[in-house]
């Protein structure tokens, strides 16, 4: 057993001050559904926990005005079950309801979900030193490259890392142009979700655009008519409680039978939530049918690079996106 300290903060200022006072080894904790796992595996060695689950106003869900706002402490289950989100933005509701299990969704927060670490087995099971991992120990190497790479990324990988970004909710938020609100010692700032997740490059241990001591405090999503014609499609080894082999978040603003604007992001296939701009451009002004949907799917994977065991993800990902486009366009149920 390792000793650790624990303090519960009542507001953002208290949390930031507690983090600064704790020093090295401090971590924020909300639902704990990721951090506890990593601590048990020995990947995280937190010495000081600052509980932010009960921060004042952190669980706010506001669907009024021009944007949807979700406090970072809102539970995944509560957002997924919100009537407005389910009716007007099914892509958001489905990305949450298809994640984890109901028990975990009842505990996990939408802010914490943004900061999930990869489920790469070499990252999670290598704490005893059996496998090198640049995310866990920068500069040690990447056992996933040249290893068993069935679940690894085919988009966004580098010579230092090919681990998949694990979330569903971040993929939907990426498609919907969300903005992340972050508070820290220097104040509050807003970061477009497109800038929040970093490509691995030569520094795969730097995954998020967030500094030590900062807290994700909110998520904003611009309202759009495309939300009504949206879906999150997830393909996995089993129907529930499993991470995506490939997933697609699609929202379409329609003008009759024609696409006026497409919002598309991919999950399960890339090192970060992956915006598929090529697919979006191909769909604009098009009438949706299976042929054009599949062409958009293939365009999204034009730059994909397979390893030894994951080439199937390219075709699977293209077809998953094509199906999601057909569903969002009302062509299939």
């Amino acid at each position: 057993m390792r000793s650790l300290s624990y303090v519960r903060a009542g507001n953002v200022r208290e949390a930031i001050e507690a983090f600064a006072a704790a020093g090295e080894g401090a971590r924020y904790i909300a639902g704990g559904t990721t951090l506890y796992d990593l601590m048990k595996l020995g990947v995280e060695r937190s010495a000081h926990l600052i509980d932010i689950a009960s921060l004042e106003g952190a669980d706010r869900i506001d669907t009024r005005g021009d944007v949807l706002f979700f406090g970072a402490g809102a539970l995944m289950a509560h957002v997924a079950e919100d009537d407005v989100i389910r009716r007007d933005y099914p892509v958001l509701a489905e990305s949450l309801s298809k994640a984890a299990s109901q028990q975990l969704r009842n505990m996990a927060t939408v802010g914490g979900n943004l900061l999930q670490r990869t489920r790469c087995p070499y990252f999670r099971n290598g704490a005893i030193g059996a496998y090198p991992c640049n995310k866990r120990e920068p500069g040690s190497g990447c056992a996933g490259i040249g290893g068993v790479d069935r679940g690894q990324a085919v988009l966004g990988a580098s010579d230092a890392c090919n681990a998949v970004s694990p979330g569903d909710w971040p993929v939907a938020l990426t498609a919907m142009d969300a903005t992340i609100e972050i508070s820290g010692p220097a104040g509050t700032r807003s970061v477009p979700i497109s800038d929040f997740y970093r490509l691995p490059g030569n520094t795969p241990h730097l995954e998020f655009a967030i500094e030590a001591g900062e807290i994700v405090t909110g998520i904003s999503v611009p309202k759009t008519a495309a939300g009504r014609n949206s879906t999150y499609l997830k393909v996995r080894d089993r129907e529930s409680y499993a991470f995506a082999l490939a997933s697609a978040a699609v929202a379409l603003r329609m003008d009759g039978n024609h696409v006026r604007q497409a919002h598309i992001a991919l999950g399960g296939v890339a090192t970060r939530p992956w915006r598929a701009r090529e697919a979006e451009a191909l769909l604009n002004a098009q009438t949706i049918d299976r042929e054009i949907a599949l062409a958009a799917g293939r365009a999204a994977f034009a730059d994909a690079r397979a390893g030894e065991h994951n080439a199937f993800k390219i075709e699977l990902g293209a077809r998953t996106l094509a199906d999601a486009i057909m569903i969002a366009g009302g062509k299939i149920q």
Side-chain angles (χ1 to χ4, degrees):
M1 297 292 291
R2 295 192 305 271
S3 63
L4 55 83
S5 66
Y6 170 90
V7 62
R8 176 174 291 180
N11 55 54
V12 172
R13 178 182 291 275
E14 285 182 10
I16 293 169
E17 290 176 349
F19 191 99
E24 187 176 356
R27 294 289 186 274
Y28 294 119
I29 187 168
T33 55
T34 290
L35 183 60
Y36 286 146
D37 270 354
L38 296 178
M39 289 174 67
K40 288 188 289 185
L41 290 168
V43 176
E44 278 281 353
R45 297 184 178 276
S46 308
H48 312 282
L49 299 182
I50 297 94
D51 190 333
I52 58 173
S54 301
L55 296 187
E56 183 178 355
D59 60 350
R60 181 164 65 98
I61 301 171
D62 190 347
T63 57
R64 301 167 296 177
D66 296 329
V67 299
L68 306 169
F69 180 82
F70 308 104
L75 299 181
M76 290 173 63
H78 290 172
V79 175
E81 294 161 5
D82 183 270
D83 289 340
V84 172
I85 303 305
R86 292 179 62 183
R87 183 190 68 222
D88 295 344
Y89 299 89
V91 64
L92 299 179
E94 291 167 8
S95 73
L96 291 168
S97 63
K98 292 178 180 179
S101 65
Q102 186 64 51
Q103 294 92 331
L104 287 172
R105 293 192 295 270
N106 288 341
M107 288 292 297
T109 64
V110 294
N113 187 265
L114 297 178
L115 300 170
Q116 281 191 88
R117 307 296 302 279
T118 182
R119 259 55 184 186
C120 172
Y122 298 110
F123 169 77
R124 292 174 64 84
N125 298 325
I128 59 173
Y131 304 111
C133 173
N134 287 319
K135 281 187 181 293
R136 194 181 62 252
E137 297 180 18
S140 64
C142 175
I145 297 174
V148 179
D149 60 4
R150 178 179 182 269
Q152 305 301 91
V154 296
L155 291 166
S158 71
D159 291 338
C161 182
N162 63 1
V164 162
S165 179
D168 299 301
W169 170 243
V171 177
L173 292 177
T174 296
M176 301 305 288
D177 298 305
T179 298
I180 311 304
E181 179 186 284
I182 300 170
S183 296
T188 299
R189 60 192 179 98
S190 296
V191 178
I193 196 164
S194 57
D195 296 331
F196 186 73
Y197 293 96
R198 295 171 168 169
L199 288 170
N202 294 321
T203 55
H205 61 293
L206 302 176
E207 300 177 46
F208 314 106
I210 190 167
E211 303 297 330
E214 289 187 319
I215 307 172
V216 173
T217 50
I219 302 164
S220 297
V221 178
K223 285 189 173 180
T224 172
R228 282 288 184 108
N229 302 304
S230 70
T231 193
Y232 182 76
L233 183 60
K234 181 177 182 180
V235 177
R236 43 194 161 168
D237 284 323
R238 58 176 182 265
E239 182 59 25
S240 65
Y241 199 41
F243 288 88
L245 287 171
S247 68
V250 176
L252 303 175
R253 186 156 62 94
M254 305 293 294
D255 183 2
N257 292 323
H258 293 82
V259 177
R260 291 193 62 185
Q261 185 178 26
H263 301 255
I264 299 173
L266 306 173
V269 294
T271 55
R272 69 178 182 185
W274 196 263
R275 190 68 180 261
R277 298 288 187 186
E278 300 84 356
E280 292 176 348
L282 192 149
L283 284 180
N284 285 338
Q286 297 286 341
T287 299
I288 294 174
D289 58 25
R290 183 67 188 177
E291 183 179 355
I292 195 68
L294 193 52
R298 302 215 189 287
F301 286 85
D303 295 328
R305 185 177 68 181
E308 185 176 353
H309 307 103
N310 62 357
F312 75 95
K313 280 194 169 194
I314 298 174
E315 184 67 15
L316 177 65
R319 291 182 177 274
T320 299
L321 175 51
D323 285 349
I325 292 168
M326 294 291 284
I327 293 169
K331 301 300 182 181
I332 60 175
Q333 298 297 317

